[in-house]
Amino acid sequence: MNAPETRPDGLPPFVRSWRQLYGLVIASLVAVIAFLAWFTAYFQ
Amino acid sequence: MSLVDWIVLIATLGSLIAYGVWKSRRDQTMDGYLLGNRSLAWYQVGLSVMATQASAITFLSAPGQAYTDGMRFVQFYFGLPLAMIVISVTFIPMFHRLKVYTAYEFLENRFDLRTRTFTSLLFLIPRFLSTGITIYAPSLILSTLLNWNIVWTNLFMGGLVIIYTTSGGVRAVSYTHVQQMLIVFIGMALAGWMVVRLLPPEVGFTDTLRLAGKLGKLNAINWKFDLNDRYNVWSGLIGGFFLQLSYFGTDQSQVGRYISGESVGESRLGLLMNGILKIPMQFLILLVGALVFVFYQYHEPPLSFNAAERARVEQVPAYNALAEEHRQLATQKSREITALHTALERNDESTATVARNQIQATDVRIDATRSQVSDLIKKAGGDANDTNYIFLHFVINQLPVGLVGLLIAVIFVASMGSTASALNSLTSTFVVDIYRRMLRPTASERHYVQFSRGITVVWGVLCVMVAMFANRLGSMIEAVNILGSLFYGTILGIFLVAFYFKKLGATATFWAAVGAELLVVLFWRLDLMAFLWLNLLGCGLVIGLAWIIQRLLPEPDVS
């Protein structure tokens, strides 16, 4: 039987490590900037 | 305001104050009063951090800024998510491990007492000045609504916050932040929805955006790199990163929020939540301002949004002629806007361009009229800057009964939230880093809690005194950020040396910090760069000067 995996304290269930969560935050920043660039260009 | 609005306002404020006082009744220790016994969950940390940063200024000044300058201010926050990551990796584990009350305690462990004290002072000066501005913002509303002198409204607003903060410890502050943010989100969403509803029936939401875009108000992104341009992608990502890193990493009003988290994980998650939500939130607030701008293309705006200042000159003969000219221009512009809207609906780009050029020409004449009114106001000894009054004017004059009370409550609770955090941090820094460390190190817990309550009143009074002069500072949101940029870069530099440059010692860092601060103030006085870059300058100077001093005068105690 495998021992239960120890998860870092407070880590949300949809990521495996803090590093992965930081990656998601950076990805969301890139997505927001891309959206704003489209928004500016589209409504210009 | 109607009776219903007053009931909504008083019920909201009264319940929040009562909740704060009730929550604080158990906190009789330093850990409880200043850190809420380190028991907050991630969402409480996140909302508390957001509520601390989003003061009344955010809701008064930002829509006005979008009205006058477009949405480019949103770029200011691009560095924030990156700063949240750096703080999560570096600062949070360190602060939790050392179980500090303030960020500056850590500096004595790493350097020495003088560096800790100097950094505490660098924090206390801008924080108490900017807290004065956050008290002034809602006072402005009350003075306009009740036609009271701003001096009395400052005293009233300041007094209300002092009572709330003195009785409420950090636990009360953080718990009430959760409810405050809920009220804020609901209020601003309703305001945005109402603006579109108040436009002519044929103008839908997308039409409103297209009109705002054609008139240059949806300029959310500017890729051009320019050191003297306050808001572009690069100043936001680089300058904003350093400002946010220093604000969240070293300003006790924010550090106090996330070190109250139950664990490293809860604190991290709260900050990352802030990193993800802040830009969309600021975008929506600015969007409301852009929508209000479109509303005033169809309806005649006042010659000055500040009713009190306008009243000063309404009896001057020249004003009547300007008002009449402005009325005619507004009617003409309303026709031109309708023509632009029709052209956009038909996808007729050439007609749209003609209409836009006509609008721009009319705008030049309208601006000239407004400028002449501003001159009249200045001559009468008044303040001609009405940016902070634009959204307020719209709320009071256009929104329906009940919603006016709710929006005014939004501004009040936002102010209470950020002011409470700020007073709490001024108190904890002064008590922990100066009073307990240097003046009275061996008193009882009860004494420190009582002293903390007393010193909160003193800080509150000082902040109210600053509030008396805040109307001379132009756009309030910019004034707060400029103040921060003058000091935060140096503070951040000290912390970065502490974390990442282990070979640099106490003496080198202390004198580098003193030199860097003097140079930053000099650069600002000489207006050599836009204020956001001062953060980078201050930070870089501390690291660079400390390295040079260390090379010239090696310290025997360097680790």
Side-chain angles (χ1 to χ4, degrees):
Chain A
M1 207 169 97
N2 290 334
E5 201 179 325
T6 327
R7 286 178 64 79
D9 169 50
L11 193 66
F14 53 86
V15 284
R16 276 186 242 155
S17 65
W18 284 108
R19 186 171 288 206
Q20 214 172 56
L21 188 59
Y22 300 147
L24 275 179
V25 173
I26 292 171
S28 66
L29 171 65
V30 172
V32 165
I33 293 177
F35 166 75
L36 291 176
W38 169 83
F39 180 81
T40 304
Y42 184 81
F43 289 109
Q44 206 165 34
Chain B
M1 272 205 329
S2 71
L3 181 65
V4 176
D5 290 320
W6 278 111
I7 291 170
V8 170
L9 177 62
I10 292 168
T12 311
L13 295 187
S15 58
L16 274 172
I17 292 171
Y19 186 68
V21 172
W22 177 68
K23 268 290 173 187
S24 66
R25 72 198 190 285
R26 286 175 296 170
D27 291 327
Q28 296 301 323
T29 62
M30 284 275 279
D31 215 42
Y33 190 77
L34 298 180
L35 288 180
N37 292 320
R38 301 176 209 260
S39 60
L40 300 184
W42 65 272
Y43 67 91
Q44 290 168 322
V45 171
L47 289 171
S48 190
V49 161
M50 289 178 81
T52 298
Q53 191 178 25
S55 66
I57 296 166
T58 307
F59 303 100
L60 280 175
S61 222
Q65 198 148 353
Y67 184 102
T68 54
D69 195 31
M71 293 182 66
R72 65 196 192 112
F73 179 62
V74 74
Q75 298 166 108
F76 174 79
Y77 293 96
F78 284 175
L80 188 136
L82 305 174
M84 295 300 97
I85 293 172
V86 173
I87 292 167
S88 294
V89 172
T90 310
F91 291 62
I92 290 177
M94 186 69 81
F95 291 153
H96 268 274
R97 190 162 63 244
L98 295 175
K99 292 196 177 301
V100 290
Y101 284 98
T102 73
Y104 319 113
E105 271 185 279
F106 159 74
L107 294 176
E108 188 175 354
N109 288 345
R110 170 66 177 86
F111 299 120
D112 54 14
L113 178 59
R114 67 182 168 174
T115 309
R116 172 183 178 179
T117 310
F118 179 67
T119 316
S120 305
L121 291 174
L122 282 185
F123 160 71
L124 288 171
I125 296 164
R127 177 47 54 204
F128 109 83
L129 290 173
S130 58
T131 306
I133 299 171
T134 62
I135 290 175
Y136 166 73
S139 300
L140 186 73
I141 299 173
L142 213 59
S143 71
T144 309
L145 277 178
L146 302 176
N147 206 20
W148 285 2
N149 188 311
I150 189 79
V151 173
W152 294 110
T153 46
N154 271 332
L155 288 173
F156 175 73
M157 263 316 295
L160 200 67
V161 177
I162 290 167
I163 292 167
Y164 164 74
T165 313
T166 305
S167 56
V170 76
R171 195 204 311 267
V173 171
S174 300
Y175 273 69
T176 49
H177 277 159
V178 176
Q179 289 142 332
Q180 285 165 6
M181 287 311 287
L182 192 68
I183 295 167
V184 162
F185 285 137
I186 292 171
M188 290 309 285
L190 285 173
W193 180 65
M194 277 307 301
V195 186
V196 180
R197 276 205 59 179
L198 288 167
L199 286 165
E202 68 275 14
V203 184
F205 180 64
T206 317
D207 299 328
T208 315
L209 290 183
R210 290 177 80 187
L211 286 170
K214 286 289 174 197
L215 298 172
K217 298 300 173 186
L218 303 189
N219 51 345
I221 291 282
N222 177 12
W223 294 103
K224 194 179 167 194
F225 181 85
D226 180 358
L227 268 183
N228 291 310
D229 180 18
R230 282 183 179 182
Y231 308 118
N232 56 53
V233 171
W234 312 111
S235 71
L237 275 174
I238 303 168
F241 167 76
F242 281 95
L243 176 62
Q244 306 293 353
L245 190 60
S246 25
Y247 173 51
F248 284 94
T250 68
D251 185 314
Q252 181 60 24
S253 69
Q254 286 295 2
V255 175
R257 308 280 74 71
Y258 62 78
I259 59 174
S260 308
E262 198 177 351
S263 63
V264 170
E266 300 291 323
S267 298
R268 274 179 175 163
L269 212 49
L271 274 192
L272 294 176
M273 167 190 163
N274 176 49
I276 290 174
L277 292 183
K278 181 70 189 179
I279 301 173
M281 178 182 137
Q282 201 63 38
F283 170 78
L284 293 174
I285 294 169
L286 288 165
L287 189 62
V288 170
L291 297 178
V292 169
F293 171 80
V294 176
F295 172 85
Y296 281 117
Q297 304 308 299
Y298 283 97
H299 302 84
E300 185 192 350
L303 270 165
S304 167
F305 283 96
N306 186 337
E309 298 295 357
R310 199 172 64 242
R312 277 176 191 259
V313 295
E314 276 175 343
Q315 303 308 319
V316 177
Y319 178 87
N320 292 327
L322 290 170
E324 182 52 37
E325 187 185 342
H326 186 255
R327 197 167 301 123
Q328 287 172 10
L329 288 170
T331 312
Q332 180 184 329
K333 191 173 174 186
S334 177
R335 280 198 301 270
E336 290 163 355
I337 284 286
T338 308
L340 176 61
H341 175 235
T342 311
L344 290 175
E345 268 198 327
R346 292 177 185 161
N347 285 325
D348 183 351
E349 273 300 322
S350 58
T351 313
T353 307
V354 171
R356 185 166 63 174
N357 290 341
Q358 285 173 339
I359 291 167
Q360 281 169 349
T362 310
D363 270 339
V364 170
R365 294 172 66 193
I366 288 176
D367 287 347
T369 317
R370 282 173 58 83
S371 172
Q372 288 180 64
V373 171
S374 296
D375 290 342
L376 289 179
I377 291 172
K378 280 181 203 160
K379 266 186 199 163
D383 175 20
N385 187 336
D386 63 350
T387 306
N388 303 318
Y389 292 78
I390 295 170
F391 184 58
L392 174 64
H393 177 91
F394 172 79
V395 166
I396 293 170
N397 292 290
Q398 305 298 337
L399 294 191
V401 169
L403 198 51
V404 175
L406 182 66
L407 261 293
I408 302 290
V410 163
I411 292 162
F412 271 91
V413 297
S415 169
M416 285 165 63
S418 50
T419 309
S421 293
L423 288 184
N424 188 264
S425 65
L426 288 168
T427 297
S428 54
T429 304
F430 184 77
V431 172
V432 173
D433 294 308
I434 293 173
Y435 182 73
R436 193 177 72 167
R437 176 64 184 85
M438 292 192 288
L439 302 176
R440 197 157 174 197
T442 55
S444 66
E445 284 279 306
R446 187 180 158 79
H447 169 82
Y448 288 128
V449 173
Q450 283 177 341
F451 183 77
S452 296
R453 290 187 199 277
I455 212 69
T456 305
V457 176
V458 174
W459 278 120
V461 170
L462 287 172
C463 292
V464 169
M465 288 167 71
V466 173
M468 300 294 184
F469 299 97
N471 66 333
R472 302 286 170 207
L473 295 174
S475 168
M476 291 182 287
I477 198 159
E478 282 195 351
V480 168
N481 289 325
I482 290 170
L483 260 175
S485 298
L486 280 175
F487 296 89
Y488 286 155
T490 306
I491 299 179
L492 178 65
I494 296 169
F495 274 89
L496 290 186
V497 169
F499 284 125
Y500 297 114
F501 298 86
K502 302 287 184 196
K503 290 187 175 177
L504 298 181
T507 302
T509 307
F510 174 75
W511 288 111
V514 172
E517 189 50 48
L518 291 173
L519 285 170
V520 167
V521 172
L522 184 71
F523 269 63
W524 171 67
R525 292 289 299 170
L526 296 175
D527 201 15
L528 293 179
M529 55 178 68
F531 74 85
L532 267 177
W533 295 105
L534 294 174
N535 294 284
L536 181 59
L537 178 74
C539 182
L541 278 172
V542 173
I543 297 169
L545 290 175
W547 187 81
I548 292 168
I549 295 169
Q550 183 78 41
R551 299 275 297 205
L552 295 175
L553 307 164
E555 288 174 54
D557 59 339
V558 174
S559 58

